[in-house]
Amino acid sequence: MTAKSILKLGKEYLLLTLGILIYVAGWTIFMIPNNLIGGGLTGVSSIIQYAVGIKMGYTYFVLNAILLVTAFVVIGANFGGKTIYAIILASVGLNVLQDLIPATIIETLSVQNGKLMSTIMGGILSGAGIGMSMSQGGSTGGTDIIALIVNKYRNISPGRIILWIDAVIILSSLAVPSYTAEGELVPFAEKITTVVYGLILITVNGYVIDLYLSGSKQSVQLFIMSRKYEEIADAITKDIHRGVTVLPAVGWYTKKENHVLMVVARKTDLNFLLKYIKTIDNDAFLSVSSVSGVYGNGFDIIKSGRTKSAKVVDSEKK
C-alpha cells in the first residue's frame, strides 16, 4: 500500500468511527433514557432491553452477526470489514456509554426536554451517524445492510428502505411488555404514544440519512450567455474538465443570433465554476437551477436490477 492509500484508508476509518460515536450518542443520551423505540436492529435491541433488561450492545452484536454473511457475499469484503469494525464499536458503545455518560447531562439534555424533543434530537444524531458511516462504505449494521443491498440494484433511497422496515419493527413493540430503568411496567396507553414517537424518530432519521448522502451528489444546470462563448466553452472542457453543450439561440430584443452554453455539474463545483467564467467574461449572463437527478458518465448510474445474462437473452430473442 502506498502512503496515499494508507492516508485515504485512515481518513475513512476516522470518519466511520466518528459516525458510529454520533449514532451511539443519539441513542444513549436521548432515546434510552426516555424508553423510546427506534428502527432497525437497534430498535429490536432496545425492545429486548426494556423487556428483560439485557443491555442493547449484546443483542445488537448477535443479531448483526447473522447479516454479515449477506454483506460479504453481495456488497464485498471491503464493506464487510468496515461493518465488522462498526458493529463491534457500536456494540461496545451502546453498553459502555449508558454507564459512562453522567446522569446530570442526560437529565438536562434529554429528560427535561421531554420525549418529543428527545425524539427529534436523537433522530438527527443517529441519522447523521448512519449517513456518515454509509458514505465511507461502512454501516451501523442491521437494516443499513439491507438498504445498501437494495440500493445497489434499484434507484430507491436508503433512507426510504430503512423507513419501511423500521415502521414494522416499531409497531411490533406493542406486543412486548416494556419496563423503565426503575423496573416499572410501562402502561399500554403510553406504549401507543411511544410508537408514535418512534414513527417520528424514523422519519427524521430517514430524512437526515438521505440529506447527508445526497449532499455531495446534488447537481446544478448552468446556462451561460456570453459573446465569448467559445473561449468559455474551451476553458470549461480543457481546464475544469466538464462537459459543455452549445445551443443556438436568438436574442428576441436585438434579433441577433447567439449561442448559449449548457453545463451540468456537481453543486460543490458551482462556486469555482462561476468565478472561473467571470474571469473570462465579467459581463456573462448566468442562470443556475437545481436538478433532481443526473444520470450518465461522471454522474449517477441507472440501476435496472437486471443481470447481464438477462440482457443477453433479450438480445438473442430479438
Side-chain angles (χ1 to χ4, degrees):
M1 295 181 67
T2 63
K4 185 177 180 179
S5 62
I6 293 175
L7 184 63
K8 181 177 181 294
L9 186 64
K11 179 184 176 182
E12 290 177 355
Y13 271 90
L14 179 63
L15 292 175
L16 178 59
T17 302
L18 181 60
I20 295 299
L21 293 178
I22 292 174
Y23 174 73
V24 171
W27 269 95
T28 54
I29 295 176
F30 295 104
M31 268 92 87
I32 297 176
N34 288 288
N35 269 61
L36 294 172
I37 303 295
L41 294 188
T42 319
V44 176
S45 301
S46 66
I47 294 173
I48 295 174
Q49 176 171 325
Y50 302 151
V52 298
I54 299 176
K55 281 193 174 181
M56 291 176 58
Y58 299 116
T59 312
Y60 179 81
F61 179 81
V62 173
L63 293 176
N64 270 293
I66 300 173
L67 288 176
L68 283 178
V69 176
T70 305
F72 276 111
V73 173
V74 179
I75 302 176
N78 186 46
F79 175 88
K82 290 180 179 179
T83 300
I84 292 174
Y85 170 77
I87 289 173
I88 294 174
L89 182 61
S91 299
V92 174
L94 286 169
N95 281 353
V96 173
L97 288 186
Q98 290 189 50
D99 301 323
L100 193 62
I101 298 177
T104 53
I105 294 179
I106 294 177
E107 178 71 22
T108 303
L109 295 178
S110 178
V111 179
Q112 291 183 5
N113 284 321
K115 288 189 176 183
L116 180 58
M117 285 303 299
S118 294
T119 298
I120 295 173
M121 291 187 288
I124 292 174
L125 279 180
S126 60
I130 293 174
M132 187 176 294
S133 301
M134 293 174 74
S135 68
Q136 301 306 312
S139 167
T140 53
T143 52
D144 301 355
I145 297 176
I146 300 174
L148 285 180
I149 291 173
V150 176
N151 185 250
K152 183 178 180 180
Y153 299 104
R154 298 287 182 183
N155 289 312
I156 305 176
S157 69
R160 182 172 299 178
I161 300 168
I162 293 173
L163 187 67
W164 294 339
I165 300 173
D166 290 353
V168 175
I169 293 173
I170 290 174
L171 290 173
S172 68
S173 67
L174 291 173
V176 182
S178 181
Y179 297 88
T180 64
E182 292 75 22
E184 298 177 0
L185 179 65
V186 177
F188 185 77
E190 187 174 334
K191 290 184 66 177
I192 295 177
T193 306
T194 302
V195 167
V196 175
Y197 285 132
L199 296 175
I200 296 173
L201 172 65
I202 61 174
T203 302
V204 174
N205 198 304
Y207 177 77
V208 173
I209 291 172
D210 284 345
L211 189 65
Y212 188 97
L213 292 178
S214 64
S216 60
K217 295 183 179 181
Q218 291 180 352
S219 300
V220 293
Q221 185 172 266
L222 178 64
F223 286 101
I224 307 164
M225 286 149 273
S226 170
R227 292 188 178 91
K228 300 180 180 180
Y229 70 92
E230 293 181 341
E231 187 178 348
I232 294 174
D234 289 337
I236 293 175
T237 54
K238 295 178 182 178
D239 298 339
I240 307 180
H241 305 290
R242 294 292 181 271
V244 179
T245 300
V246 182
L247 306 173
V250 176
W252 199 246
Y253 180 77
T254 60
K255 301 299 190 293
K256 292 183 179 179
E257 294 186 358
N258 206 337
H259 293 81
V260 176
L261 305 180
M262 184 185 75
V263 180
V264 177
R266 295 293 188 191
K267 192 173 183 179
T268 51
D269 298 330
L270 179 61
N271 287 335
F272 176 76
L273 192 59
L274 293 176
K275 291 178 182 178
Y276 198 84
I277 293 170
K278 285 297 184 179
T279 59
I280 299 174
D281 184 4
N282 194 48
D283 296 324
F285 184 83
L286 306 171
S287 172
V288 181
S289 59
S290 298
V291 290
S292 58
V294 180
Y295 302 97
N297 188 25
F299 293 89
D300 295 330
I301 299 173
I302 297 177
K303 302 163 187 173
S304 63
R306 304 177 66 191
T307 61
K308 185 176 180 180
S309 58
K311 295 178 180 179
V312 173
V313 172
D314 287 348
S315 63
E316 290 176 350
K317 289 181 179 179
K318 294 178 181 179

